[in-house]
Amino acid sequence: MLSSLKRLLIGRPLKSNELGEQKLGILKALAILSSDALSSVAYGTEQILIVLATISVVAFWYSIPIAVGVLFLLAALILSYRQIIYSYPHGGGAYVVSKENIGEKAGLIAGGSLLVDYILTVAVSVTAGTDAITSAFPGLHAHSVFIACILVIFITILNLRGITESASILAYPVYLFVLALFILIGVGLFKIVTGDITPTAQHASIGAPVQGITLFLLLRAFASGCSALTGVEAISNAIPTFKDPAPKNAAKTLVLMGSLLALLFSGITFLAYYYGIAPKADETVVSQIAKETFGRNYLYFFVQGTTALILVLAANTGYSAFPLLAFALAKDKYMPRMFTIRGDRLGYSNGIVSLGVASIILIIASKGQTEHLIPLYAVGVFIPFTLSQTGMIIKWLRQKPAGWVAKLTSNLIGALITLTVLIIFFVTKLGQVWFVFLFLPLIVIMFLRIKSHYEAVGEQLRIQPEDEAIPVQGNVIIVPVAGITKVVENSINYAKSLTDQIFAVYVSFDREDEKRFEEKWQKWQPDVRLVTLQSHYRSILQPLSKFIDTVEHKASENNYRVTVLIPQFITKKNWHNILHNQSSLLIRAYLIFKKKVIVATLPYHFKK
Amino acid sequence: MLSSLKRLLIGRPLKSNELGEQKLGILKALAILSSDALSSVAYGTEQILIVLATISVVAFWYSIPIAVGVLFLLAALILSYRQIIYSYPHGGGAYVVSKENIGEKAGLIAGGSLLVDYILTVAVSVTAGTDAITSAFPGLHAHSVFIACILVIFITILNLRGITESASILAYPVYLFVLALFILIGVGLFKIVTGDITPTAQHASIGAPVQGITLFLLLRAFASGCSALTGVEAISNAIPTFKDPAPKNAAKTLVLMGSLLALLFSGITFLAYYYGIAPKADETVVSQIAKETFGRNYLYFFVQGTTALILVLAANTGYSAFPLLAFALAKDKYMPRMFTIRGDRLGYSNGIVSLGVASIILIIASKGQTEHLIPLYAVGVFIPFTLSQTGMIIKWLRQKPAGWVAKLTSNLIGALITLTVLIIFFVTKLGQVWFVFLFLPLIVIMFLRIKSHYEAVGEQLRIQPEDEAIPVQGNVIIVPVAGITKVVENSINYAKSLTDQIFAVYVSFDREDEKRFEEKWQKWQPDVRLVTLQSHYRSILQPLSKFIDTVEHKASENNYRVTVLIPQFITKKNWHNILHNQSSLLIRAYLIFKKKVIVATLPYHFKK
């Protein structure tokens, strides 16, 4: 039942050699890996304007130079990541780059902040998308947490189905969103050029003097604008999922994504400035631009609808990146081994499911109010940005390949800019991001402890040439018996076929019963030793455990192995199980975990 | 941790031979077993008056003859149950008496309705007591379900501590309640005799003509009054918990309880009649009588307080009777065997816990509104009353011991009266009790199906002289291996010590890996056969399961046994467990339940 439900939701299992078919072309990769970055356009400009609005509307012209700054930063990031892609064709996220070039801990800091960041991506994007939906249908507002959780579950299932099939569904909204914004910007610019527009508010001309503007405020506005750059790193983590030649395709996708992002971001920012749009609490900047350009007609709803969709789908970036990063960390033993296993549909199911569960917990814990998580989220991106650029610098300095000066320069610029942005974040928004100082050390400690456990295990499992194993000299089998039945007969026969050192153990609660049983046993199995144990507290486990200890102690001196043989009733119908004391299960678990004996389970299948 | 918490709540385990000390004397037994019956006084009179009030206050004089009828019924029940106690000294509840004399199904109907009834006792009594508490402290009213559940948990823990200790705590409220009502009745009668009382309302004299009175109504009032008799059967179920001579002590306790009940019930009914008290929605009859007699002084609160307490403690009757009845049913294989096991403190813990859980579910499901369950509860008592009296009649007719005519007569009267009451119930309150016709057959079917399963099992386990077991000819051991490690070395050494028919099985996900492993194995263990299996779907279980089937098929032809040897890592710290794929657990469970192979678990304890 359960497995056919799983089949229905996830699809038939795929063979390992079907993996190649699942790989991504450029256009599909663009759809899957860039929805996070592109969706940032929906709020990037707005974040800048919100900060500037604290001075005056005259200050809005600063959005243009700030946007230029962001674009410059974007260009630097794209160039740097292009180099990372070619240098690390097997998937060079910030984790790999930092670990190899700077050191273990830098890698773990980058990896840890990215892991948390992907969870934040999912939670923040899905709740933002849900807000867009509930704004359109206010009746649903009370259920927004529930809707967000359903969306996360839906995306999780899509991802469990496998990469390509998810892509087919997820590609269209991204294309439509890009199309919608191009139409919006195109029509807007056309109307401006033809003078066919009368903005409701007038824009201040660029360079107009602004009362009370400070560097701190401009930096804060810039930092806010940088939230438009989250998601840029996704492609460099995901190179192994590209079609061959993977690095080349990945680099092309990256440049394509960067160009789209730049065009859309500058278009929206320019229109917002030219229309003199101020951020409002109850309407997004993009919505205002679209209304100004089209009026509230079907094109307006097209823009709004695709925006809502792409916000929800931005979550999908997390689903592409998180399992791959978890795989990389798990392969290096910093995370549980289960993250290295491919599921039925060849995705890393454990990573996908963990991400889904973690983001649902985050959504429920924050009651769907994830806005205040956005700065945390941006910081979580810029830490690995900075670390990976720094790693590349060290790499070029060490290896000095042909043309290394140019490469070094581009990464140096990248590192300096991202470091600056990071410092700006900590200086201007400390109250919202201090939490990073708490959880990053914790997560790194966890990684290190996991690794040290795996290493200790590996050490213990390795066969050393010097300590030759002493062959087992013989076997003692202990058979707890509860009566004279077919099950006991089976057990004794099995034990007899393995060794002649057999103890049948009977636990009795009173003397009379003990005597009676001893006599019956003597008649039935005179050649098998019967040991009877008294239990004053009506517990079977306690006297049995004591007896096993005694036998085990003596056996190990002679290098004998002790096996405890426990029968298990297998009932015909499930409900019958509650009719049998499940003491054998308890005894088995106790013996396996507490004693150094082998526990053999002999099944007895009931026929009715 | 968990076990020390248990120790704290329940107390240290008791030895089986401490059982004698736990047995009950007459006074303690009275406290434990009669709180249900005695607490009925708190509402018996009121139930009669509520029905009579639908005609007119003049009709209230009928409460006197109706009370006489109830007392007559009580006397008949006490006499009949005294005979049952002597005839069934090992605990003759309605279940035993009906089963032995009428037949299996009659016994099961009696047993089933009593079981359900005890759950109702707990739920109804505790919520009634809670209502008394929340009437005194209205602020708590919103939390009444929660309070009721806490009370049930409290009583459950007391009972898990063991009978005698519970009795010490539970005895005082019963004594105090009896004392309080005696003071109330004594002072009331004294004031009436001395003429020191002016009732607020005048009472109609007995025999005054009443307009519109019908037989139906009088019967209904009588049936309602019979709710004062619930709990009378508790003692006859609990004879084995009495001190020796158990039947004599039980009979004495029964008569003592009957006398107390008769005195209190007639006293309260008479005072209610003489004071001309009418039932009110917001104040109980007992409360009105106490106010009339004492005014609202400390004696009034003493009466009210002990009434509330005894209502809560009436629940305890259920706790004494339910586990014993469940034990009797389980011993006869109509209920799961676990109800026959004494816990650490010698109580039948499984019965106690089941009762607690079931009544909490009932309280939560009915949201603490259990008043409408009272008629159902009364019917649940009168069905076994009738059946056990009928059983006794059949017994006397069959055995005809000395003085059987007198005995027969007393039981015949008992049977006729209880049958009449039952018919009155069904005729006058069908809408509230029809549910009985649904659940009684269901519960009886459940009992029968459980029994038939246990009998089938017994049949299958019995060793038949004709089918001699063929001795096991030899053993095949299958060792799934995941690499060349110490664990595998251990497993192979163990297997070698048992047989020379060993298959090491390696599941590989690709050809290259397979070849590499085969070569390594050849060097390491050239004398152990290695079987490599290809898994296209990355599942270990599937190919392994297929291979086991093949081996098992061949082995069983030659009467060989197949053992699968699975290593189990035992980690030093609990959290380490999540770092190891728990596939061995899954594989083990699958093999035990689905295959006819012995599964041996070889523990490997990590040292760090």
Side-chain angles (χ1 to χ4, degrees):
Chain A
M1 225 282 298
L2 212 69
S3 78
S4 60
L5 179 70
K6 179 182 162 196
R7 182 70 60 94
L8 180 73
L9 287 176
I10 317 287
R12 68 168 181 90
L14 295 176
K15 285 194 179 181
S16 302
N17 54 23
E18 292 179 73
L19 191 58
E21 303 165 20
Q22 295 293 103
K23 297 210 162 186
L24 298 171
I26 292 177
L27 275 185
K28 273 198 178 169
L30 187 70
I32 287 189
L33 296 169
S34 68
S35 53
D36 182 18
L38 293 180
S39 69
S40 314
V41 172
Y43 49 81
T45 306
E46 186 159 1
Q47 295 286 323
I48 299 175
L49 292 179
I50 286 172
V51 178
L52 293 177
T54 57
I55 299 291
S56 79
V57 282
V58 185
F60 284 170
W61 71 262
Y62 275 109
S63 65
I64 299 295
I66 288 173
V68 172
V70 172
L71 287 176
F72 184 64
L73 174 56
L74 173 65
L77 280 177
I78 297 288
L79 282 179
S80 320
Y81 269 106
R82 241 185 124 240
Q83 300 197 147
I84 292 177
I85 287 172
Y86 281 113
S87 304
Y88 292 91
H90 299 299
Y95 162 64
V96 177
V97 177
S98 317
K99 197 188 66 169
E100 287 199 0
N101 298 302
I102 311 181
E104 184 189 37
K105 284 193 189 131
L108 294 182
I109 291 173
S113 48
L114 276 177
L115 272 191
V116 175
D117 218 58
Y118 293 136
I119 300 170
L120 285 167
T121 305
V122 175
V124 170
S125 309
V126 168
T127 46
T130 308
D131 285 348
I133 295 170
T134 56
S135 302
F137 307 99
L140 295 174
H141 196 78
H143 308 291
S144 58
V145 169
F146 180 72
I147 294 171
C149 293
I150 293 292
L151 286 172
V152 172
I153 292 168
F154 179 70
I155 299 171
T156 305
I157 290 173
L158 280 186
N159 277 280
L160 287 174
R161 286 193 75 93
I163 301 172
T164 310
E165 280 187 51
S166 309
S168 314
I169 291 186
L170 302 180
Y172 300 108
V174 179
Y175 303 150
L176 289 177
F177 172 74
V178 172
L179 180 69
L181 284 206
F182 271 134
I183 294 175
L184 174 62
I185 294 167
V187 173
L189 291 178
F190 180 77
K191 286 193 170 176
I192 289 174
V193 169
T194 57
D196 185 21
I197 192 120
T198 40
T200 39
Q202 208 49 50
H203 58 266
S205 59
I206 290 174
V210 179
Q211 198 81 35
I213 194 88
T214 61
L215 182 63
F216 182 85
L217 212 106
L218 288 177
L219 289 177
R220 199 180 157 98
F222 175 70
S224 296
C226 288
S227 65
L229 302 181
T230 55
V232 166
E233 82 295 347
I235 291 174
S236 68
N237 287 315
I239 307 171
T241 61
F242 276 86
K243 269 193 188 142
D244 288 330
K248 218 172 160 185
N249 283 328
K252 273 187 193 162
T253 310
L254 181 70
V255 172
L256 193 56
M257 179 183 83
S259 316
L260 279 176
L261 182 55
L263 280 174
L264 298 180
F265 179 65
S266 34
I268 293 295
T269 308
F270 176 73
L271 286 183
Y273 159 70
Y274 193 85
Y275 290 177
I277 279 168
K280 288 185 195 170
D282 55 353
E283 192 176 10
T284 63
V285 166
V286 172
S287 164
Q288 292 183 63
I289 294 173
K291 215 157 62 182
E292 199 80 56
T293 310
F294 304 128
R296 281 182 71 90
N297 68 359
Y298 68 99
L299 276 171
Y300 165 78
F301 284 106
F302 180 52
V303 170
Q304 284 303 95
T306 52
T307 307
L309 253 182
I310 202 174
L311 275 169
V312 171
L313 292 185
N316 203 54
T317 312
Y319 279 91
S320 312
F322 182 97
L324 286 169
L325 180 56
F327 170 79
L329 282 161
K331 227 179 54 184
D332 291 347
K333 302 186 178 166
Y334 294 112
M335 276 180 71
R337 205 177 290 153
M338 60 174 180
F339 288 105
T340 62
I341 300 165
R342 284 184 190 274
D344 280 354
R345 302 284 291 182
L346 298 170
Y348 295 108
S349 335
N350 289 323
I352 293 170
V353 171
S354 306
L355 177 61
V357 170
S359 27
I360 284 178
I361 290 173
L362 204 62
I363 289 171
I364 292 174
S366 66
K367 290 173 188 160
Q369 311 289 315
T370 47
E371 306 86 39
H372 54 280
L373 296 175
I374 291 181
L376 201 61
Y377 167 41
V379 166
V381 176
F382 275 90
I383 290 173
F385 275 180
T386 311
L387 285 171
S388 57
Q389 305 302 338
T390 311
M392 290 306 284
I393 294 170
I394 296 172
K395 183 188 171 84
W396 303 138
L397 284 177
R398 275 200 199 129
Q399 302 178 345
K400 297 188 179 161
W404 67 275
V405 179
K407 290 175 178 180
L408 175 70
T409 312
S410 110
N411 282 123
L412 186 63
I413 294 170
L416 287 176
I417 294 179
T418 50
L419 180 66
T420 311
V421 173
L422 200 56
I423 291 170
I424 292 173
F425 258 108
F426 281 121
V427 170
T428 61
K429 300 190 169 190
L430 187 66
Q432 289 163 292
V433 301
W434 63 269
F435 187 60
V436 168
F437 295 111
L438 189 73
F439 79 72
L440 266 188
L442 278 180
I443 223 168
V444 169
I445 288 170
M446 193 193 74
F447 286 153
L448 292 174
R449 290 193 62 182
I450 290 175
K451 171 132 185 172
S452 85
H453 171 73
Y454 277 133
E455 279 180 343
V457 165
E459 190 55 42
Q460 290 173 73
L461 290 184
R462 201 164 299 129
I463 296 172
Q464 312 289 2
E466 65 271 17
D467 55 19
E468 182 118 349
I470 311 143
V472 179
Q473 295 298 333
N475 283 281
V476 181
I477 297 185
I478 297 174
V479 188
V481 299
I484 292 177
T485 63
K486 271 199 187 161
V487 180
V488 174
E489 191 178 40
N490 267 357
S491 307
I492 296 290
N493 282 345
Y494 173 70
K496 275 181 179 170
S497 76
L498 292 172
T499 180
D500 49 2
Q501 300 274 349
I502 303 171
F503 292 102
V505 180
Y506 181 73
V507 179
S508 88
F509 300 147
D510 68 75
R511 287 260 172 243
E512 262 175 62
D513 170 58
E514 189 181 327
K515 239 180 189 166
R516 222 169 24 234
F517 190 77
E518 273 169 353
E519 280 162 17
K520 274 205 288 188
W521 186 271
Q522 201 50 39
K523 271 184 214 152
W524 185 53
Q525 292 277 5
D527 49 339
V528 174
R529 243 174 311 174
L530 175 73
V531 178
T532 51
L533 304 172
Q534 274 282 333
S535 171
H536 298 295
Y537 295 97
R538 300 162 308 285
S539 149
I540 294 171
L541 193 55
Q542 227 173 25
L544 185 64
S545 158
K546 248 191 204 163
F547 176 74
I548 288 173
D549 282 344
T550 319
V551 174
E552 210 274 327
H553 184 74
K554 204 149 175 214
S556 68
E557 277 175 4
N558 305 309
N559 209 27
Y560 268 54
R561 287 281 180 285
V562 178
T563 305
V564 181
L565 188 59
I566 294 173
Q568 167 78 45
F569 292 144
I570 313 296
T571 55
K572 198 83 185 165
K573 290 180 187 160
N574 264 334
W575 74 267
H576 286 164
N577 276 316
I578 57 157
L579 301 181
H580 298 277
N581 292 330
Q582 295 304 318
S583 46
S584 67
L585 276 180
L586 286 175
I587 292 176
R588 192 158 59 225
Y590 176 82
L591 295 181
I592 289 174
F593 283 92
K594 298 292 178 190
K595 306 279 170 195
K596 294 191 169 178
V597 295
I598 294 105
V599 179
T601 308
L602 188 124
Y604 190 88
H605 293 260
F606 286 138
K607 283 176 200 76
K608 49 186 175 179
Chain B
M1 224 285 296
L2 212 70
S3 78
S4 60
L5 178 71
K6 181 181 163 200
R7 181 71 60 92
L8 180 73
L9 288 175
I10 316 288
R12 67 170 183 89
L14 295 177
K15 285 195 179 181
S16 302
N17 53 23
E18 293 178 75
L19 191 57
E21 304 164 20
Q22 296 294 102
K23 297 209 161 185
L24 297 172
I26 293 178
L27 276 185
K28 275 198 176 169
L30 187 69
I32 289 189
L33 297 168
S34 67
S35 53
D36 182 18
L38 293 180
S39 70
S40 314
V41 173
Y43 49 83
T45 306
E46 185 158 1
Q47 296 286 322
I48 299 175
L49 293 180
I50 286 173
V51 178
L52 294 178
T54 58
I55 298 294
S56 78
V57 281
V58 185
F60 284 170
W61 71 263
Y62 276 110
S63 65
I64 299 294
I66 287 173
V68 172
V70 172
L71 286 177
F72 185 66
L73 174 57
L74 173 65
L77 280 177
I78 297 288
L79 281 179
S80 321
Y81 268 107
R82 238 184 124 242
Q83 300 197 145
I84 292 176
I85 286 173
Y86 282 113
S87 304
Y88 292 91
H90 299 298
Y95 162 63
V96 177
V97 177
S98 318
K99 197 190 67 170
E100 287 201 0
N101 298 302
I102 311 179
E104 184 188 35
K105 284 195 188 128
L108 294 182
I109 290 172
S113 48
L114 276 178
L115 271 192
V116 175
D117 217 58
Y118 293 135
I119 300 170
L120 285 168
T121 306
V122 175
V124 171
S125 308
V126 168
T127 45
T130 308
D131 284 349
I133 295 171
T134 56
S135 303
F137 307 99
L140 295 173
H141 196 78
H143 309 290
S144 58
V145 170
F146 180 72
I147 293 171
C149 293
I150 293 292
L151 285 172
V152 172
I153 291 169
F154 180 70
I155 299 171
T156 305
I157 289 173
L158 281 186
N159 277 280
L160 286 174
R161 287 194 74 93
I163 300 172
T164 310
E165 281 186 54
S166 310
S168 313
I169 291 187
L170 302 180
Y172 300 107
V174 179
Y175 302 150
L176 289 177
F177 173 73
V178 173
L179 179 69
L181 282 206
F182 271 132
I183 293 175
L184 174 62
I185 295 167
V187 173
L189 291 179
F190 180 78
K191 285 192 172 177
I192 290 173
V193 170
T194 57
D196 185 21
I197 192 123
T198 39
T200 37
Q202 209 48 51
H203 59 265
S205 58
I206 290 172
V210 179
Q211 197 83 35
I213 195 86
T214 62
L215 182 62
F216 181 84
L217 212 105
L218 287 177
L219 289 177
R220 199 179 158 97
F222 175 70
S224 296
C226 288
S227 63
L229 302 181
T230 54
V232 166
E233 81 295 346
I235 290 174
S236 68
N237 287 316
I239 307 170
T241 62
F242 276 86
K243 270 193 190 145
D244 288 330
K248 219 172 160 187
N249 284 328
K252 275 186 193 164
T253 310
L254 180 69
V255 171
L256 193 56
M257 180 183 82
S259 315
L260 279 177
L261 182 56
L263 280 175
L264 298 181
F265 179 65
S266 33
I268 293 294
T269 309
F270 176 73
L271 288 183
Y273 159 69
Y274 193 84
Y275 289 177
I277 280 167
K280 290 185 193 168
D282 55 354
E283 189 175 11
T284 63
V285 167
V286 172
S287 164
Q288 293 183 60
I289 294 174
K291 214 156 63 183
E292 200 78 55
T293 310
F294 303 128
R296 282 180 74 88
N297 66 0
Y298 68 98
L299 277 170
Y300 165 78
F301 284 106
F302 180 53
V303 170
Q304 285 302 96
T306 52
T307 307
L309 253 181
I310 203 174
L311 277 169
V312 171
L313 292 185
N316 203 55
T317 312
Y319 279 91
S320 312
F322 183 97
L324 286 168
L325 180 56
F327 170 80
L329 282 160
K331 226 180 54 184
D332 291 347
K333 300 185 179 167
Y334 295 111
M335 276 180 70
R337 206 175 292 154
M338 60 174 180
F339 289 105
T340 62
I341 299 167
R342 283 185 190 272
D344 280 354
R345 303 283 292 182
L346 298 168
Y348 295 109
S349 336
N350 289 322
I352 294 171
V353 172
S354 306
L355 176 61
V357 171
S359 29
I360 284 178
I361 290 172
L362 205 62
I363 290 172
I364 292 174
S366 65
K367 291 175 189 158
Q369 311 288 313
T370 46
E371 306 86 40
H372 56 279
L373 297 176
I374 290 181
L376 200 63
Y377 167 41
V379 165
V381 177
F382 276 89
I383 290 173
F385 276 179
T386 311
L387 286 170
S388 57
Q389 305 301 339
T390 313
M392 291 305 285
I393 295 171
I394 296 172
K395 183 187 170 82
W396 303 137
L397 284 176
R398 274 200 199 129
Q399 301 179 345
K400 298 189 180 159
W404 66 275
V405 179
K407 290 175 176 179
L408 176 69
T409 313
S410 111
N411 282 125
L412 186 62
I413 295 171
L416 287 176
I417 296 181
T418 49
L419 180 65
T420 313
V421 174
L422 200 56
I423 292 170
I424 292 173
F425 258 108
F426 281 121
V427 170
T428 60
K429 302 191 168 187
L430 187 66
Q432 289 162 291
V433 302
W434 63 268
F435 187 61
V436 168
F437 296 110
L438 188 74
F439 78 70
L440 267 188
L442 278 181
I443 223 168
V444 170
I445 289 169
M446 192 192 75
F447 286 152
L448 292 173
R449 290 193 62 183
I450 290 175
K451 171 132 185 171
S452 84
H453 170 73
Y454 277 132
E455 279 179 341
V457 165
E459 191 54 44
Q460 290 173 73
L461 290 184
R462 201 165 298 129
I463 297 171
Q464 314 287 1
E466 65 270 19
D467 55 17
E468 182 120 348
I470 311 143
V472 180
Q473 296 297 333
N475 283 281
V476 181
I477 297 185
I478 297 174
V479 188
V481 299
I484 291 177
T485 62
K486 272 199 185 161
V487 181
V488 175
E489 192 177 40
N490 268 356
S491 308
I492 297 288
N493 281 347
Y494 173 72
K496 276 180 178 169
S497 75
L498 292 171
T499 181
D500 50 0
Q501 300 273 350
I502 304 171
F503 292 103
V505 180
Y506 181 74
V507 179
S508 88
F509 300 148
D510 67 74
R511 286 263 172 242
E512 262 174 64
D513 170 59
E514 188 181 328
K515 240 184 191 162
R516 221 168 26 232
F517 190 78
E518 273 169 353
E519 279 162 20
K520 274 207 287 186
W521 185 271
Q522 201 50 40
K523 271 184 214 154
W524 184 54
Q525 294 275 7
D527 49 338
V528 174
R529 244 174 310 175
L530 175 73
V531 177
T532 51
L533 305 170
Q534 274 282 333
S535 171
H536 299 295
Y537 295 98
R538 298 163 308 288
S539 150
I540 294 171
L541 193 54
Q542 226 172 27
L544 185 63
S545 158
K546 245 190 205 165
F547 177 72
I548 289 173
D549 282 344
T550 319
V551 174
E552 210 276 325
H553 184 74
K554 204 149 176 214
S556 67
E557 279 175 3
N558 304 309
N559 209 26
Y560 267 54
R561 288 282 179 285
V562 179
T563 304
V564 181
L565 188 59
I566 294 173
Q568 167 77 44
F569 291 144
I570 314 296
T571 54
K572 197 84 183 162
K573 290 178 188 163
N574 264 334
W575 72 269
H576 287 162
N577 277 315
I578 58 159
L579 301 181
H580 298 277
N581 292 331
Q582 295 304 317
S583 46
S584 68
L585 276 179
L586 287 175
I587 292 176
R588 193 157 60 223
Y590 176 82
L591 295 180
I592 289 175
F593 283 93
K594 299 291 178 191
K595 306 281 171 193
K596 295 191 170 178
V597 295
I598 294 105
V599 179
T601 307
L602 188 123
Y604 190 87
H605 293 261
F606 286 139
K607 281 175 201 76
K608 48 187 178 179

